[in-house]
């Protein structure tokens, strides 16, 4: 796989995690969003088409990581059997056999596309992907070095330059390890085992780089689990990571459980936007203290004026929230807004007008946090009264 093919595969899998397929099994992604995520800054559609076509021809085998004596079944499939490119949207299907494997959020959704975009060496991407899978146990599976070479280089592994381990290590492993340790949030170390004087197997230790300690911060293991659950609910990955940095594990877990409980309640209406409901549950502390719930207090004075002021407050929050997201998530939201905006003058382009910005942040606030609840309006009114006092 070429570097662009690797990046495209990751972008498509990430998009499939966040956006379910339609009834015919097609996933869709705006070309603009895909280009940003993959770091593809060229307007050469022919090159993009050729890369997608070649990606469709690559056969994936599993599970080649398992030890030979423990491989119960060998299977192979084309990962992306159908792809079509339209002027603004790319559509694709994922192999039925592989779909459940590759859409496991603990393995694929947490691959940081910001990191992948920074890699300049083609082999750095598969090595990074392989190591991230084992972050929890901090040690990758042990593999024959020739099998590992073939797994990350594919057909190019047949080149005579890599027939001997010393050249493979010198030209591929060492430069890629240095790039991963420099550009990613992980540190990996190569471990070798020998039979006599010859290298037999390789594996890597995997450590996440230390971050400044924050009071009540969530551990790496908890972070992986919680971020994965938030992503499944529709929260952008960059936002999920930030929520884990700014809240305790108990706060996040309680909000997740509260949202799941609400979604499973058959007596209530269907939960259309679990991500928005989750954000409210986390921000308002729903479930943390049942006795603090406020009932029957939705009759605040001057409700129309209060709701208008709260809407302005929420739009300002939406502006700040939007600026903190990664570029790919920002682009995705702009495309989603433009797709539903029927008034051309209110769509966000390269030079957004004040009216389009207002409409966008009003929409973003509603999409992110949902309609304001009586409890939120009451809390907002109390805060206003305190300021006046």
């Amino acid at each position: 796989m070429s570097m662009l093919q690797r990046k495209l595969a990751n972008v498509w899998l990430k998009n499939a995690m966040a956006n379910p397929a339609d009834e015919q099994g097609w996933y869709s992604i705006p070309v603009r969003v895909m280009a940003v995520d993959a770091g593809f800054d060229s307007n050469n559609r022919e090159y993009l088409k050729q890369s997608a076509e070649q990606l469709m021809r690559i056969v994936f085998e599993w599970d080649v990581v398992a030890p030979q004596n423990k491989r119960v079944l060998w299977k192979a499939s084309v990962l992306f059997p159908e792809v079509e490119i339209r002027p603004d949207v790319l559509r694709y299907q994922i192999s039925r056999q592989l779909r459940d494997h590759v859409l496991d959020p603990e393995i694929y959704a947490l691959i940081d596309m910001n990191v992948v975009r920074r890699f300049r060496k083609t082999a750095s991407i598969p090595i990074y992907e392989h190591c991230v899978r084992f972050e929890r146990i901090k040690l990758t599976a042990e593999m024959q070095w020739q099998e590992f070479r073939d797994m990350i280089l594919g057909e190019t592994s047949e080149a005579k330059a890599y027939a001997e381990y010393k050249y493979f290590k010198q030209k591929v492993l060492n430069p890629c390890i240095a790039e991963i340790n420099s550009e990613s949030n992980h540190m990996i170390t190569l471990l070798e085992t020998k039979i006599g004087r010859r290298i037999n197997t390789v594996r890597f230790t995997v450590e996440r780089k230390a971050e400044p300690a924050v009071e009540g911060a969530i551990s790496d293991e908890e972070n992986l689990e919680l971020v994965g659950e938030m992503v499944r609910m529709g929260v952008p990955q960059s936002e999920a990571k930030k929520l884990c940095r700014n809240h305790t594990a108990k706060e996040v877990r309680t909000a997740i459980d509260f949202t799941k409980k609400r979604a499973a309640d058959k007596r209530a209406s269907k939960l259309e936007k679990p991500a928005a409901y989750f954000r409210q549950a986390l921000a308002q502390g729903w479930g943390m203290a049942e006795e603090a719930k406020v009932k029957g207090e939705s009759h605040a004075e001057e409700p129309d004026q209060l709701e208008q002021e709260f809407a302005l407050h929420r739009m300002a929050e939406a502006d700040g929230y939007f600026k903190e997201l990664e570029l790919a998530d920002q682009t995705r939201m702009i495309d989603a807004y433009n797709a539903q905006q029927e008034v051309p003058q209110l769509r966000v382009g390269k030079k957004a007008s004040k009216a389009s910005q207002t409409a966008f942040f009003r929409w973003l606030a509603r999409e992110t946090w949902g309609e304001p609840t009586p409890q939120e309006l009451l809390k907002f009114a109390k805060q206003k009264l305190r300021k006046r006092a």
Side-chain angles (χ1 to χ4, degrees):
M1 296 175 69
S2 69
M3 178 174 287
L4 179 57
Q5 290 165 8
R6 285 274 180 187
K7 291 180 177 179
L8 286 177
N10 274 305
V11 171
W12 294 355
L13 292 174
K14 176 186 175 184
N15 176 69
M17 281 295 309
N19 303 284
D22 62 19
E23 295 180 356
Q24 287 74 42
W26 286 90
Y27 297 90
S28 299
I29 181 172
V31 173
R32 176 185 174 191
V33 173
M34 181 180 65
V36 172
D37 266 356
F40 180 70
D41 55 3
S42 172
N43 292 321
N44 190 339
R45 286 297 185 92
E46 188 63 28
Y47 178 43
L48 177 62
K49 186 183 76 173
Q50 291 174 0
S51 296
E53 182 181 5
Q54 291 165 4
L55 189 56
M56 293 170 62
R57 298 175 182 176
I58 296 174
V59 176
F60 290 77
E61 303 176 24
W62 72 96
D63 181 6
V64 297
V65 177
Q68 286 279 3
N69 58 350
K70 293 185 179 180
R71 293 181 191 175
V72 179
L73 176 67
W74 176 87
K75 300 181 75 173
S77 177
V78 174
L79 181 55
F80 304 106
E82 303 283 345
V83 179
E84 63 179 41
I85 302 177
R86 300 182 178 185
D88 298 317
V89 175
L90 182 140
R91 301 173 74 234
Y92 58 96
Q93 293 186 339
I94 298 176
S95 162
R96 178 183 56 81
Q97 289 197 93
L98 279 168
R99 191 183 305 128
D100 291 341
H101 297 283
V102 298
L103 296 187
D104 182 345
E106 292 187 356
I107 295 176
Y108 289 96
L110 298 183
I111 291 176
D112 193 334
M113 293 307 300
N114 277 330
V115 172
V116 171
R117 284 198 295 271
R118 292 199 291 267
F119 291 148
R120 293 294 176 264
K121 301 183 184 302
T122 303
S124 293
I125 301 175
I127 295 175
Y128 170 73
E129 293 172 358
H130 177 67
C131 289
V132 168
R133 289 182 59 188
F134 296 88
E135 181 179 348
R136 284 189 177 185
I137 59 177
K138 300 184 178 181
L139 187 65
T140 69
E142 191 172 38
M143 297 183 66
Q144 298 285 329
W145 78 263
Q146 294 93 338
E147 289 186 353
F148 184 73
R149 175 199 62 191
D150 294 347
M151 185 178 76
I152 66 171
L153 297 180
E155 293 179 357
T156 61
S157 64
E158 299 300 325
K160 294 181 179 179
Y162 306 132
E164 295 184 40
Y165 178 76
K166 62 180 180 180
Y167 297 117
F168 173 60
K169 180 179 180 180
Q170 176 185 353
K171 296 182 179 182
V172 179
L173 289 182
N174 287 345
C176 290
I177 291 171
E179 183 172 56
I180 291 170
N181 290 341
S182 171
E183 300 297 333
S184 78
N185 297 325
H186 295 79
M187 294 291 294
I188 66 173
T189 304
L190 174 65
L191 301 180
E192 304 166 329
T193 60
K194 294 182 178 180
I195 295 180
R197 294 184 177 181
R198 293 182 177 275
I199 300 297
N200 181 42
T201 64
V202 296
R203 65 196 314 184
F204 298 86
T205 61
V206 186
E207 294 282 348
R208 178 172 285 273
K209 293 177 182 177
E211 297 182 358
V214 179
E215 185 178 354
I218 300 174
S219 67
D220 287 345
E221 185 173 348
E222 290 173 317
N223 184 77
L224 281 171
E225 179 183 355
L226 296 174
V227 169
E229 293 206 42
M230 284 186 277
V231 168
R232 279 194 290 271
M233 288 191 296
V235 178
Q237 186 181 22
S238 55
E239 180 190 358
K241 290 180 178 180
K242 180 184 176 184
L243 292 175
C244 280
R245 290 195 299 269
N246 295 340
H247 294 82
T248 66
K250 183 178 180 181
E251 290 171 339
V252 176
R253 169 55 62 194
T254 301
I256 289 173
D257 292 342
F258 195 87
T259 303
K260 287 182 176 179
K261 182 179 179 181
R262 167 61 181 82
D265 189 352
K266 295 181 179 180
R267 296 171 299 178
S269 59
K270 182 180 178 182
L271 188 60
E272 298 290 346
K273 297 179 180 179
Y277 190 89
F278 164 75
R279 292 185 185 98
Q280 288 192 10
L282 183 60
Q284 302 298 324
W286 295 347
M288 290 293 290
E290 291 291 329
E291 68 277 6
K293 288 184 177 179
V294 179
K295 296 182 179 180
E297 296 182 308
S298 60
H299 51 279
E301 293 183 3
E302 300 179 348
D304 292 340
Q305 181 180 350
L306 180 63
E307 289 177 4
Q308 290 174 8
E309 292 183 7
F310 184 79
L312 293 174
H313 168 72
R314 268 287 163 82
M315 287 171 58
E317 286 188 328
D319 186 5
Y321 163 68
F322 180 77
K323 291 176 180 176
E324 292 176 354
L325 291 176
E326 295 174 359
L327 178 60
D329 291 326
Q330 291 180 344
T331 304
R332 192 187 304 280
M333 287 184 174
I334 290 175
D335 288 337
Y337 164 77
N338 286 339
Q340 60 82 48
Q341 179 54 259
E342 298 179 354
V343 182
Q345 293 82 357
L346 293 181
R347 291 173 187 154
V348 176
K350 292 183 179 180
K351 293 183 178 180
S353 65
K354 187 173 181 179
S356 64
Q357 287 181 328
T358 299
F360 170 69
F361 287 122
R362 184 183 293 114
W363 171 87
L364 180 58
R366 186 173 61 253
E367 287 292 308
T368 304
W369 297 290
E371 296 296 336
T373 64
Q375 291 88 347
E376 288 177 307
L377 292 172
L378 179 63
K379 182 179 178 181
F380 180 68
K382 290 178 177 179
Q383 289 174 342
K384 285 188 61 183
L385 289 174
R386 291 195 197 101
K387 291 180 180 179
R388 290 175 183 174

